[in-house]
Amino acid sequence: MNGGRLLWVPTEVNLDNHVIVPKLDPDDIDSPDKFVEDSISNLSKNKIKMSMPMWDLHLLNVKTSEAESVSVLRVHHSLGNRTSLMSLFLACTRKVSNPTEPPTIPMVKKVNSEKSSRGLKGKFIKLRLAMWLLWNTLVDVMMFLAMALMLIKDMKTPLKSPLGFGSSPRQFVHRSVSLDDIKLIKNSTRTIRESNKIDKGSSERSNNLPKSICLRATFFMNLRPIPGIQELADMMKKGTKAKWAKAAMDRKKASLEASFSYFLAKYFLKFGGLKMASFPSQTTLWFSNVAGPQEEISLFGHPVAYIAPSCFGQPNGLMIHVVSYANKMTFILSVDDDIIPDSHQLCDDLEVSLNRIKTAVIN
């Protein structure tokens, strides 16, 4: 602390303080899966010590229905966001098929703007896109301010948590489904929408939700360019310690994201207090997704069965994370038992809904 301000200071890392390996007797564990869930839930009951680098690794040497053992990495959000932490994790892994190569993740294809902007038609398209961007920005900003000023709030439902909620311990459950099924549904849904073949009457008859319901999700998106897996692997291989931090600072200086976040945090806290600053809690749930490796990977020679990122401390009763891995997609629920007492049932409902959608698409 310096004048009431928190500062980063150089320190030495003692791995014994960060890597925890509890002594477990398999004979004393009736249900390994439940034991792992309870162990992770217990971690959400206490905060990471601020007297040392804010991360710890818990190695649970217990065989579950999915893996031979489980590694739980707990990291404070100040050390990185979901994308940077996933990139750092994957930079420490290697392909199972080729232990010398880092994994590959799906890349967004860039559109060749030079060809599309040629001629009068190209200029008209660019003008229309610019106007569309301006309109969307105006609408989003107005909706954002309306939510921040509490002019728009979600209705009270069994999934809605009280305002300012977020200090209770969490329960974490996950379920893996076929990534091919997700792609099938996505492609088919797009085709149905474009061909306008949706049976509106049928969909309305099967909808049991109130017509005037307001139920929204806060969807997190990464707006900052980050180094790829290969770049991170090269930095670590060369033993450089400052290049990644230097590149991140350069990107921060060339972006208005930090100024925008600082402005909101400063003035919402100053004029509205914590109640206004916690405007994301006015939505019903939070949703976040991140792309994982396209092939099976290993961590220090150990094959990785699944990847299940999540978080706790957020001011809502339900958060859904989604991550892809090889031919699977895993959705992870972070819930509070007071809001959702049976998180496994919610997992079952999500999987049943997915199967029903898939059946409808096929038929």
Side-chain angles (χ1 to χ4, degrees):
M1 299 284 290
N2 182 10
R5 296 186 299 115
L6 294 175
L7 298 177
W8 292 102
V9 295
T11 185
E12 295 183 1
V13 177
N14 184 359
L15 292 181
D16 292 335
N17 296 331
H18 295 270
V19 181
I20 296 93
V21 186
K23 295 182 180 180
L24 304 176
D25 187 356
D27 296 333
D28 297 336
I29 301 176
D30 296 330
S31 175
D33 289 355
K34 188 177 186 306
F35 174 81
V36 171
E37 290 180 3
D38 292 341
S39 298
I40 299 175
S41 178
N42 288 333
L43 291 177
S44 68
K45 296 179 181 179
N46 56 80
K47 297 180 180 180
I48 302 178
K49 296 180 181 179
M50 299 185 66
S51 59
M52 61 182 186
M54 293 180 286
W55 65 271
D56 49 40
L57 176 64
H58 301 258
L59 302 178
L60 306 179
N61 191 18
V62 55
K63 184 177 181 180
T64 67
S65 60
E66 295 180 88
E68 294 294 325
S69 60
V70 178
S71 300
V72 183
L73 177 62
R74 185 171 61 158
V75 183
H76 196 275
H77 185 64
S78 62
L79 300 183
N81 61 11
R82 59 191 174 106
T83 309
S84 60
L85 292 176
M86 176 63 76
S87 298
L88 182 59
F89 166 73
L90 293 181
C92 300
T93 65
R94 293 295 180 266
K95 296 180 182 179
V96 171
S97 59
N98 190 344
T100 62
E101 292 185 3
T104 55
I105 60 175
M107 300 296 292
V108 179
K109 296 181 179 179
K110 295 183 179 180
V111 180
N112 190 347
S113 58
E114 293 183 359
K115 293 183 179 180
S116 60
S117 61
R118 293 176 181 175
L120 183 61
K121 182 179 179 180
K123 293 181 179 179
F124 174 75
I125 293 176
K126 292 183 66 176
L127 178 61
R128 186 178 64 176
L129 291 176
M131 294 179 64
W132 183 243
L133 176 63
L134 180 62
W135 171 255
N136 286 340
T137 302
L138 178 62
V139 172
D140 291 343
V141 169
M142 295 300 296
M143 293 294 294
F144 177 85
L145 292 176
M147 183 175 65
L149 297 174
M150 300 184 68
L151 301 177
I152 299 178
K153 294 183 291 186
D154 280 11
M155 293 177 57
K156 186 177 181 180
T157 62
L159 297 179
K160 186 73 172 65
S161 62
L163 186 63
F165 195 80
S167 59
S168 301
R170 313 286 290 193
Q171 191 72 24
F172 303 92
V173 295
H174 69 275
R175 188 70 53 84
S176 295
V177 297
S178 171
L179 186 59
D180 291 335
D181 290 348
I182 300 297
K183 293 179 180 179
L184 173 65
I185 293 173
K186 182 198 70 172
N187 296 333
S188 301
T189 303
R190 181 181 301 171
T191 303
I192 293 175
R193 187 185 300 117
E194 291 177 352
S195 59
N196 196 24
K197 293 182 180 179
I198 299 179
D199 186 353
K200 183 177 180 181
S202 175
S203 63
E204 289 181 348
R205 286 191 298 270
S206 60
N207 187 3
N208 296 321
L209 295 175
K211 293 183 179 180
S212 59
I213 191 171
C214 180
L215 192 153
R216 299 166 300 160
T218 300
F219 190 92
F220 292 88
M221 300 180 64
N222 182 55
L223 301 178
R224 295 166 291 183
I226 62 168
I229 301 302
Q230 187 61 49
E231 286 81 356
L232 283 175
D234 291 342
M235 292 177 190
M236 296 169 64
K237 184 177 180 181
K238 297 175 182 177
T240 57
K241 299 180 179 179
K243 286 188 176 180
W244 187 16
K246 177 64 167 59
M249 292 305 297
D250 288 342
R251 288 191 300 273
K252 285 287 188 178
K253 294 177 182 178
S255 172
L256 294 177
E257 183 271 335
S259 300
F260 183 70
S261 300
Y262 175 77
F263 175 83
L264 289 179
K266 179 179 178 180
Y267 287 96
F268 279 3
L269 284 172
K270 182 177 180 180
F271 297 108
L274 290 174
K275 188 174 182 180
M276 181 177 291
S278 61
F279 57 85
S281 64
Q282 298 173 32
T283 59
T284 299
L285 63 96
W286 288 8
F287 185 90
S288 177
N289 70 315
V290 62
Q294 294 179 311
E295 60 279 304
E296 294 184 350
I297 60 175
S298 63
L299 180 63
F300 302 111
H302 301 280
V304 176
Y306 65 92
I307 306 173
S310 190
C311 67
F312 63 93
Q314 64 272 21
N316 71 319
L318 171 63
M319 184 167 192
I320 302 178
H321 277 77
V322 177
V323 60
S324 59
Y325 176 40
N327 61 346
K328 299 182 297 183
M329 188 198 77
T330 302
F331 55 88
I332 308 97
L333 307 184
S334 171
V335 306
D336 187 279
D337 289 337
D338 294 335
I339 305 298
I340 304 174
D342 193 344
S343 53
H344 288 278
Q345 181 62 50
L346 182 56
C347 263
D348 293 338
D349 293 341
L350 291 175
E351 188 173 12
V352 169
S353 298
L354 175 66
N355 291 331
R356 287 181 178 179
I357 296 174
K358 176 187 173 183
T359 302
V361 166
I362 296 177
N363 296 335

